[in-house]
């Protein structure tokens, strides 16, 4: 579904991603781990061109999205993204947050989008929050709404960038639970996280990014029980 070849990203003279070639297949749940500052967010953001690669190419469903001819906005509609800090619109109700993109892009009428929003809110147990503003929600509720907002576009893939890192510990579980259900429903997902238990349980493949390279990848069993790279062993000894 997503393929990157020789992906390199520099900020000024700093090399942040160093010649990464990777792929995410339909239905895979690819978990990305690694130390802070290693390039995990930049990698994720290059997949939907929120960051423009310095060199290398990115494909989405066999269409090269780094090509000049691609309408990237059309592609982004099919790639939902969930951020660490939720990024909800504070001046819009929960329901408006969810329906804005599907209506603006012409994917749905307001009525259709409202109906879809209520279905999704029901799935995450927040239908009673449809008409409130984000400020009145807890962090865990905000993040569940942000996931619902991404899902409202019926994306082909969801990208998560440390979705639970900004949450109080008691709210982490409710967000991971929603993500676990999406995974069980067959959603294709790429997830940057420090939640190693979740990575182990839900991940179909784990990538260890360090110093801008994928230094090791494998099944959760391979990565967590039999890590080979000393840098990965060192990282795991600090986070597990
Ligand atoms: P991670 O998500 O693994 O913590 P990032 O991808 O956010 O790492 O950052 C990797 C490196 O790139 C860091 O050194 C960071 O300071 C740098 N970086 C990230 N975004 C920018 C930017 N917009 N401008 C300059 N440097 C950046
Ligand atoms: Mg990051």
């Amino acid at each position: 579904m997503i393929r990157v070849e020789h992906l390199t990203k520099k900020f000024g003279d700093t090399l942040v991603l160093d010649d990464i070639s990777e792929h995410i297949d339909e239905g895979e749940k690819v978990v990305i781990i690694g130390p802070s500052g290693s390039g995990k967010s930049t990698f994720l953001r290059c997949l939907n061109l929120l960051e423009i690669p310095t060199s290398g190419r990115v494909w989405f469903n066999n269409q090269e999205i780094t090509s000049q001819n691609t309408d990237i906005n059309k592609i982004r509609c099919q790639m939902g993204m969930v951020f660490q800090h939720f990024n909800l619109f504070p001046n819009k109700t929960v329901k408006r947050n969810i329906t804005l993109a599907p209506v603006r892009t012409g994917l749905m009428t307001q009525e259709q989008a409202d109906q879809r929003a209520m279905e999704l809110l029901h799935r995450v147990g927040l239908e009673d929050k449809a008409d409130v503003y984000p400020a009145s929600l807890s962090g865990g509720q905000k993040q569940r709404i942000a996931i619902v907002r991404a899902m409202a576009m019926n994306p082909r893939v969801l990208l998560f960038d440390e979705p639970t890192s900004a949450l109080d510990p008691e709210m982490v579980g409710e967000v991971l639970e929603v993500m676990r259900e999406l995974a069980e429903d067959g959603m294709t997902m790429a997830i940057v996280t420090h939640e190693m238990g979740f990575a182990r349980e839900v991940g179909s493949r784990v990538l260890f990014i360090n110093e801008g390279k994928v230094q090791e990848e494998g099944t959760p069993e391979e990565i967590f029980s039999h890590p080979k790279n000393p840098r990965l062993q060192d990282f795991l000894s600090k986070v597990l």
Side-chain angles (χ1 to χ4, degrees):
M1 183 167 287
I2 299 177
R3 189 153 54 92
V4 304
E5 274 184 12
H6 303 295
L7 176 64
T8 296
K9 176 68 182 177
K10 290 182 186 173
F11 291 110
D13 287 340
T14 313
L15 182 62
V16 173
L17 298 178
D18 185 6
D19 193 19
I20 294 184
S21 296
E22 267 300 338
H23 62 94
I24 298 174
D25 294 337
E26 184 154 16
E28 265 198 307
K29 298 93 185 56
V30 174
V31 177
I32 300 155
I33 63 172
S36 181
S38 59
K40 303 181 301 297
S41 295
T42 306
F43 176 71
L44 209 61
R45 293 164 65 84
C46 280
L47 300 182
N48 61 1
L49 302 197
L50 281 183
E51 298 287 358
I52 306 300
T54 305
S55 61
R57 307 209 276 174
V58 183
W59 282 264
F60 179 71
N61 285 326
N62 296 318
Q63 183 179 6
E64 189 193 339
I65 64 176
T66 33
S67 151
Q68 296 281 326
N69 307 324
T70 302
D71 178 356
I72 186 60
N73 288 321
K74 222 174 194 168
I75 301 292
R76 283 206 190 104
C77 291
Q78 302 174 63
M79 304 171 95
M81 188 146 188
V82 176
F83 303 89
Q84 185 173 351
H85 293 288
F86 328 126
N87 299 10
L88 296 175
F89 302 111
N91 58 337
K92 298 199 176 353
T93 64
V94 162
K95 204 205 273 177
R96 286 292 286 170
N97 264 276
I98 299 166
T99 62
L100 197 66
V103 173
R104 281 231 176 125
T105 57
L107 186 68
M108 299 174 197
T109 64
Q110 185 67 51
E111 202 178 6
Q112 289 168 331
D114 284 346
Q115 193 183 340
R116 172 91 176 130
M118 293 314 294
E119 275 167 28
L120 288 166
L121 284 170
H122 177 70
R123 270 173 65 177
V124 300
L126 291 173
E127 62 265 67
D128 59 325
K129 301 295 184 190
D131 298 315
V132 310
Y133 288 85
S136 70
L137 302 173
S138 72
Q141 290 171 336
K142 282 182 195 164
Q143 196 59 301
R144 285 188 279 157
I145 299 296
I147 295 171
V148 161
R149 182 176 62 173
M151 286 298 293
M153 292 293 287
N154 297 324
R156 301 286 309 276
V157 56
L158 281 179
L159 311 176
F160 294 85
D161 192 359
E162 296 199 31
T164 61
S165 293
L167 299 178
D168 291 333
E170 73 270 24
M171 293 172 186
V172 169
E174 68 197 54
V175 171
L176 293 181
E177 185 53 36
V178 169
M179 292 170 64
R180 194 174 284 124
E181 280 166 20
L182 289 174
E184 278 166 11
D185 286 349
M187 192 71 199
T188 307
M189 301 160 84
I191 308 158
V192 176
T193 187
H194 294 292
E195 292 292 331
M196 297 300 155
F198 177 83
R200 194 169 189 136
E201 191 188 329
V202 174
S204 40
R205 193 153 51 93
V206 181
L207 310 183
F208 172 62
I209 293 191
N210 190 34
E211 295 176 344
K213 285 180 183 293
V214 178
Q215 292 190 334
E216 188 159 338
E217 67 176 275
T219 63
E221 167 74 9
E222 286 165 342
I223 292 289
F224 294 112
S225 300
H226 309 284
K228 294 188 197 83
N229 187 308
R231 309 301 293 272
L232 172 58
Q233 292 168 355
D234 180 57
F235 173 74
L236 291 175
S237 74
K238 288 173 183 149
V239 296
L240 285 179

